[in-house]
Amino acid sequence: MSDFKGLLMGMLVVAILHVLDRHLPKWFGAIPGIAFLLLMIYVIFTKDQSLLTKLTVLIVGEALLNGIWLEALEDRKKKASREIEKMKAKDLSKNKEEY
């Protein structure tokens, strides 16, 4: 049952990060990745588990966190370009009305 709780907690953290990355500044997405890296370095040197397991968790975790961050950055870029296109269209319609 503890594995299931851990999976649920991980899913909750990912969902929270997904939402926060879309509403907080761009640089915020780097903080969870750095914190996870530091935590995994600590775990690698202090826990008695196989190195392969620890490295797998490190690689998958970093890929997931950085994937969320990059997806949020792309969404922000798309949203900004849509807003610019709307503004340009509005300016063009105003210019046509003036003539």
Side-chain angles (χ1 to χ4, degrees):
M1 188 66 175
S2 68
D3 289 338
F4 184 69
K5 285 182 183 179
L7 182 62
L8 284 177
M9 289 299 292
M11 290 171 56
L12 180 66
V13 167
V14 166
I16 291 170
L17 287 174
H18 180 76
V19 171
L20 289 178
D21 275 343
R22 277 150 179 70
H23 299 291
L24 293 176
K26 292 179 185 180
W27 56 264
F28 174 79
I31 294 173
I34 293 169
F36 184 74
L37 178 64
L38 294 175
L39 174 69
M40 287 308 298
I41 290 172
Y42 171 76
V43 168
I44 286 173
F45 289 116
T46 60
K47 301 290 182 181
D48 260 351
Q49 294 174 342
S50 72
L51 184 62
L52 181 62
T53 303
K54 293 181 219 176
L55 290 177
T56 303
V57 170
L58 175 64
I59 291 169
V60 171
E62 284 292 332
L64 186 64
L65 290 173
N66 290 334
I68 291 170
W69 184 31
L70 292 175
E71 181 183 342
L73 289 175
E74 289 175 11
D75 286 346
R76 285 178 188 220
K77 191 182 294 184
K78 288 178 186 176
K79 184 178 179 182
S81 67
R82 283 193 307 263
E83 291 295 322
I84 289 172
E85 290 298 321
K86 285 181 187 178
M87 290 169 40
K88 286 180 181 178
K90 199 173 195 179
D91 288 344
L92 287 176
S93 67
K94 282 185 181 179
N95 288 339
K96 285 183 181 180
E97 289 174 4
E98 290 176 359
Y99 291 113

